[in-house]
Amino acid sequence: MALREILVVPHPVLKQVSTPVEAVDDELRALMDDMLETMYAAPGIGLAAVQVGVPKRVIVMDLAGPDGPREPRYFVNPEILWASEETLPYEEGCLSVPEYFDEVERPARVKLRYMNYQGETVEEDAEGIYAVCVQHEMDHLEGVLFIDYLSRLKREQAVKKVRKQAKAA
Ligand SMILES: [Zn+2]
């Protein structure tokens, strides 16, 4: 396993639409293993492949965080089959927008379909932080960042902050 570099705004690859995966094979599992380690090391609770420069429809997640007992989840070609009208506001952050947090409102519950680490198709209901996180990560597959939901002023402030940090590092 290897740690990958996480791209940050305003990197143009983050705006790319990711392409569907044809098969869950050892090569893809190696990518998912790397993504998970990269996410734990960051630390973060979710990561899309495009964030490490691979525009494929793949997400890893562990809502227990880096210190909890590990509960990794893997999503290949995820789809939202249904979303509730009821919404949930949540203070979001993103490894591609480090140190910036703001509130986004999304459907509170969603029904998902995806392939797991073994390539099996799974249908599942998600709510709470799970629903928030999976929708945030799935937006990455469309080239959408959580700051795209904010006002232009806030979005520019977020990018400016990240640029400043990058310069200082
Ligand atoms: Zn993100």
Side-chain angles (χ1 to χ4, degrees), residues 46 51 93-96 136-137 140 145-146:
Q51 293 179 273
C94 180
L95 293 176
S96 293
H136 172 122
E137 298 308 328
H140 279 296
L145 297 163
F146 84 100

Coordinates of all heavy atoms in Angstrom, one line a residue, residues 46 51 93-96 136-137 140 145-146, ligand 1:
G46 N -13.8 10.3 4.4 CA -14.2 9.9 3.0 C -13.2 10.5 2.0 O -12.6 11.5 2.2
Q51 N -9.8 12.7 -6.1 CA -9.0 13.5 -5.2 C -7.6 13.1 -5.1 O -6.7 13.9 -4.6 CB -9.6 13.5 -3.8 CG -11.0 14.2 -3.7 CD -11.6 14.1 -2.3 OE1 -12.2 13.1 -1.9 NE2 -11.3 15.1 -1.4
G93 N -16.6 19.5 5.7 CA -15.2 19.8 5.4 C -14.8 18.9 4.2 O -15.5 18.0 3.8
C94 N -13.6 19.1 3.7 CA -13.1 18.2 2.6 C -11.6 18.2 2.5 O -11.0 19.3 2.7 CB -13.7 18.9 1.3 SG -13.2 18.0 -0.2
L95 N -11.0 17.1 2.3 CA -9.6 17.0 2.2 C -9.0 17.8 1.1 O -7.8 18.1 1.1 CB -9.1 15.5 2.1 CG -9.4 14.7 3.4 CD1 -9.1 13.2 3.1 CD2 -8.7 15.2 4.6
S96 N -9.8 18.1 0.1 CA -9.3 18.9 -1.0 C -9.5 20.4 -0.8 O -9.1 21.3 -1.6 CB -10.0 18.5 -2.3 OG -9.6 17.2 -2.7
H136 N -21.7 13.9 -0.4 CA -20.5 14.7 -0.6 C -19.5 14.0 -1.5 O -19.0 14.6 -2.5 CB -19.9 15.0 0.8 CG -18.6 15.8 0.7 ND1 -18.4 17.0 1.4 CD2 -17.4 15.4 0.2 CE1 -17.1 17.4 1.1 NE2 -16.5 16.4 0.5
E137 N -19.2 12.8 -1.2 CA -18.2 12.0 -2.0 C -18.7 11.8 -3.5 O -17.9 11.9 -4.4 CB -17.8 10.7 -1.4 CG -17.2 10.8 0.0 CD -16.0 11.8 0.1 OE1 -15.3 11.9 -1.0 OE2 -15.8 12.4 1.1
H140 N -18.1 14.6 -5.8 CA -16.7 14.6 -6.3 C -16.7 13.9 -7.7 O -15.9 14.3 -8.6 CB -15.7 13.9 -5.4 CG -15.2 14.8 -4.3 ND1 -14.5 16.0 -4.5 CD2 -15.4 14.7 -3.0 CE1 -14.2 16.5 -3.3 NE2 -14.7 15.7 -2.4
L145 N -17.7 20.3 -5.7 CA -17.1 20.4 -4.4 C -18.2 21.0 -3.4 O -19.0 21.7 -3.9 CB -15.9 21.2 -4.4 CG -14.7 20.7 -5.2 CD1 -13.7 21.8 -5.5 CD2 -14.0 19.5 -4.5
F146 N -18.1 20.7 -2.1 CA -19.1 21.3 -1.2 C -19.1 22.8 -1.3 O -20.1 23.4 -1.1 CB -19.0 20.7 0.2 CG -18.0 21.4 1.1 CD1 -18.4 22.3 2.0 CD2 -16.6 21.1 1.0 CE1 -17.5 23.0 2.9 CE2 -15.7 21.7 1.8 CZ -16.1 22.7 2.7
Ligands
ZN1 ZN -14.5 16.2 -0.4

